[in-house]
């Protein structure tokens, strides 16, 4: 909203003045700029000034007429009226001086301690900042006020309402979706990849693998895997008999007869088939026992043998460094992000339903559990106390520096527009009270003199 003050009209130049210099751009927010509401208040101030001045003029006219009447022998009443009117004029003038001295020098005279607001603006700002810091931003005041408010109880009662829980859930979903939208996938993927890679490299996995394998072997959990391998191996041998026999025959020396190679292949195949069949059907097969011992020894080596652990770390590093693995790690963020976005957009998703249930549960617990309310209130008080004790100077300096940055003249006009109407009542009251006081003094003096 533009100001309509005379100063700004001067800045704009005459309506037809094309040579007027362009006005400097104003900031987006000027606390001393006059709004339409301020202009309305200024009109109210002018009306009250006219009424207060009119009261002074009435008192002057009454004083003049009463004095003339008294001199003309009108009677004792004229003296009472003149005394009241005279005291009313004195009170009106005194209060006019006091009110005017707040904003400017009365009649332009360089009287000390006048134009208080324009000349003492910065000092008033510092005093206001100190006042706010001492009376509103002290730890004791903040703690006492927060304790009296009972934020945890009110919050619990509010959150326990289903409509409020829905609102909180919706706002949290909107905030989360907005945060995910702002984040750049490439940046997050790089961070995730770097964090996962650093974490994997920083932690040795061989001892963990060894302990896990040791528990699996001790519980017999590996036997199902052995059973499955034996079954699949037996089936493979049955389905690929010719391939096994051809492989054996192909490895024989060239000088051996072909039928001998064939016989040897059949013999090897039958022995393999028998061995796998027995291993499949006999839980106590010696080969199974040998496999158990191997796995137990390997589990121990993973935990205690330096060479084995070093080889596992090298294999781990080689796997992590492969491009395919890095791509998989980077793609985790894309999958997680898509999953979260879909969940927060669906009002009936498990995520939103769980969040809503958690909000309702928290509200009910805060409402019913006095111990929890005390803890939450204590946390809130602690955070608020830390903020006001740590940043009190910055907060008060914001008040001081803001007021110091205001233009003195405009600040004075702005303040007068907002409180000047009430100040004019002081002038009116001064006229009335002065008149009554003058009348009382004149009456007492007349009685004592009589």
């Amino acid at each position: 909203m533009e100001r309509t003050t005379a100063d700004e009209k001067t800045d704009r130049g005459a309506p037809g003045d094309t040579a007027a210099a362009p006005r400097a751009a104003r900031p987006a927010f000027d606390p001393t700029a006059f709004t339409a509401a301020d202009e309305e208040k200024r009109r109210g101030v002018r009306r009250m000034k006219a009424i207060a001045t009119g009261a002074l003029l009435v008192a002057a006219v009454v004083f003049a007429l009463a004095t003339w009447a008294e001199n003309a022998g009108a009677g004792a009443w004229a003296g009472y009226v003149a005394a009241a009117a005279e005291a009313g004029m004195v009170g009106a003038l005194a209060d006019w001086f006091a009110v005017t001295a707040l904003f400017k020098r009365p009649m332009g005279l360089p009287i000390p301690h006048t134009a208080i607001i324009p000349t003492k603006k910065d000092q008033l700002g510092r005093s206001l900042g100190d006042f706010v810091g001492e009376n509103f931003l002290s730890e004791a005041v903040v703690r006492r006020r927060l304790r009296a408010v009972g934020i945890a109880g009110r919050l619990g009662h509010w959150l326990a309402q289903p409509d409020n829980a829905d609102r909180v859930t919706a706002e949290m979903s909107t905030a989360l979706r907005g945060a995910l939208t702002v984040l750049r996938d490439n940046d997050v993927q790089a961070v995730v990849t770097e964090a996962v890679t650093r974490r994997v490299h920083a932690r040795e996995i061989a001892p963990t693998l060894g302990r896990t394998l040791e528990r699996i072997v001790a519980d017999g959990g590996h036997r199902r895997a052995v059973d499955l391998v034996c079954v699949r191996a037996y089936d493979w041998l049955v389905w690929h008999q010719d391939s096994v026999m051809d492989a054996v025959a192909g490895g024989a020396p060239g000088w051996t007869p072909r039928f001998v190679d064939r016989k040897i292949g059949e013999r090897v195949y039958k022995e393999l088939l028998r061995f796998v069949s027995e291993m499949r059907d006999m839980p106590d097969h010696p080969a199974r026992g040998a496999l158990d011992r191997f796995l137990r020894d390997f589990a121990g080596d993973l935990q205690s043998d330096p060479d084995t652990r070093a080889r596992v770390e090298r294999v781990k590093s080689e796997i992590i460094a492969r491009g395919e693995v890095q791509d998989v790690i980077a793609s985790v963020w894309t999958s997680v992000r898509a999953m979260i976005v879909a969940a927060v957009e669906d009002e009936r998703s498990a995520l939103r339903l769980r969040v809503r249930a958690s909000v309702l549960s928290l509200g009910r617990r805060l409402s019913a559990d006095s111990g929890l309310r005390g803890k939450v209130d204590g946390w809130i008080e602690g955070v608020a106390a830390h903020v006001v004790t740590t940043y009190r100077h910055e907060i008060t300096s914001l008040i001081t520096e803001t007021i110091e940055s205001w233009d003195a003249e405009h600040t004075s006009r702005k303040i007068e527009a907002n409180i000047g109407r009430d100040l004019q009542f002081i002038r009116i009251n001064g006229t009335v009270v002065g008149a009554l006081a003058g009348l009382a003094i004149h009456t007492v003096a007349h009685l004592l003199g009589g």
Side-chain angles (χ1 to χ4, degrees):
M1 186 74 65
E2 292 184 345
R3 295 188 305 166
T4 57
T5 61
D7 292 341
E8 184 173 357
K9 292 178 180 178
T10 302
D11 292 339
R12 292 176 182 173
D17 186 5
T18 59
R23 186 182 57 178
R26 292 189 180 274
F29 173 73
D30 182 3
T32 61
F34 281 87
T35 63
D38 291 332
E39 290 297 334
E40 180 62 28
K41 292 176 182 178
R42 290 190 70 184
R43 286 191 288 271
V45 172
R46 286 193 290 269
R47 286 194 295 268
M48 290 306 303
K49 280 184 177 181
I51 294 174
T53 303
L56 172 60
L57 294 176
V58 168
V61 171
V62 170
F63 172 73
L65 294 176
T67 301
W68 174 80
E70 182 181 16
N71 293 331
W77 65 267
Y80 287 92
V81 174
E86 182 181 14
M89 287 191 299
V90 173
L93 289 172
D95 287 337
W96 166 82
F97 181 88
V99 171
T100 303
L102 289 173
F103 305 103
K104 58 185 178 181
R105 300 191 184 278
M107 299 170 53
L109 300 175
I111 302 174
H113 304 293
T114 57
I116 295 174
I117 291 178
T119 58
K120 301 291 185 179
K121 173 179 64 69
D122 295 347
Q123 182 178 343
L124 292 173
R126 289 190 293 270
S127 299
L128 178 60
D130 294 339
F131 175 80
V132 172
E134 294 174 1
N135 295 278
F136 295 93
L137 298 180
S138 66
E139 180 177 352
V141 171
V142 171
R143 286 186 178 274
R144 183 170 62 252
R145 181 57 182 167
L146 291 177
R147 195 176 299 115
V149 171
I151 294 178
R154 294 188 179 188
L155 178 63
H157 179 73
W158 191 82
L159 292 178
Q161 304 299 320
D163 291 342
N164 297 331
D166 292 337
R167 179 180 175 182
V168 172
T169 303
E171 294 296 338
M172 293 175 64
S173 299
T174 301
L176 181 57
R177 183 170 60 249
L180 293 176
T181 303
V182 171
L183 292 175
R184 295 177 56 187
D185 288 344
N186 292 337
D187 295 338
V188 178
Q189 288 173 352
V191 172
V192 171
T193 301
E194 193 273 336
V196 172
T197 303
R198 185 177 66 252
R199 179 81 175 180
V200 171
H201 282 303
R203 185 171 183 178
E204 187 179 2
I205 65 171
T208 302
L209 292 176
R211 289 189 295 270
T212 303
L213 180 59
E214 189 175 51
R215 286 195 296 269
I216 291 175
V217 174
D219 296 338
H222 67 294
R223 292 171 185 166
R224 294 183 179 179
V226 175
D227 292 341
L228 178 61
V229 171
C230 290
V231 171
R232 296 301 301 269
Y234 182 84
D235 293 341
W236 189 88
L237 288 173
V238 171
W239 294 337
H240 299 85
Q241 177 179 355
D242 294 337
S243 299
V244 174
M245 295 178 62
D246 291 341
V248 174
W255 51 267
T256 57
R258 185 175 296 277
F259 74 92
V260 174
D261 296 339
R262 186 68 179 176
K263 289 293 184 180
I264 294 174
E266 290 177 355
R267 183 63 179 175
V268 171
Y269 172 75
K270 291 180 180 179
E271 289 297 324
L272 282 175
L273 193 63
R274 181 186 62 80
F275 175 80
V276 173
S277 175
E278 291 177 352
M279 194 172 177
R280 180 195 62 185
D281 300 331
M282 297 173 59
D284 297 330
H285 193 277
R288 285 178 175 259
L291 180 60
D292 292 346
R293 290 191 296 273
F294 167 77
L295 292 176
R296 281 193 294 270
D297 293 341
F298 184 58
D301 291 341
L302 287 172
Q303 299 179 67
S304 59
D305 182 56
D307 293 337
T308 302
R309 293 168 62 174
R311 285 197 295 269
V312 171
E313 288 300 309
R314 286 195 297 270
V315 173
K316 178 192 71 175
S317 299
E318 292 173 0
I319 294 175
I320 290 297
R322 292 183 64 86
E324 299 89 339
V325 177
Q326 293 290 311
D327 292 341
V328 171
I329 296 174
S331 66
V332 170
W333 162 249
T334 304
S335 301
V336 171
R337 179 182 180 277
M339 179 183 66
I340 295 176
V341 170
V344 299
E345 290 179 348
D346 183 6
E347 295 184 357
R348 309 305 303 173
S349 66
L351 176 61
R352 291 190 60 161
L353 292 177
R354 286 180 178 272
V355 171
R356 181 180 184 276
S358 299
V359 171
L360 288 171
S361 176
L362 176 60
R364 289 191 290 266
R365 288 185 59 195
L366 286 174
S367 299
D369 190 344
S370 59
L372 179 60
R373 289 199 303 271
K375 288 182 179 179
V376 173
D377 284 333
W379 295 336
I380 295 174
E381 290 176 18
V383 171
H386 173 74
V387 171
V388 298
T389 54
T390 304
Y391 302 103
R392 178 168 57 185
H393 176 71
E394 285 76 5
I395 297 173
T396 56
S397 65
L398 175 64
I399 299 174
T400 302
E401 293 171 3
T402 300
I403 294 178
E404 289 178 350
S405 66
W406 293 351
D407 178 75
E409 182 180 355
H410 287 295
T411 301
S412 178
R413 292 178 181 177
K414 181 110 175 161
I415 294 175
E416 184 179 11
N418 283 271
I419 67 173
R421 188 173 185 273
D422 294 325
L423 293 177
Q424 298 310 312
F425 279 104
I426 295 177
R427 294 178 56 191
I428 297 173
N429 292 337
T431 305
V432 176
V433 173
L436 295 175
L439 178 61
I441 294 173
H442 182 78
T443 301
V444 172
H446 184 74
L447 291 175
L448 293 177

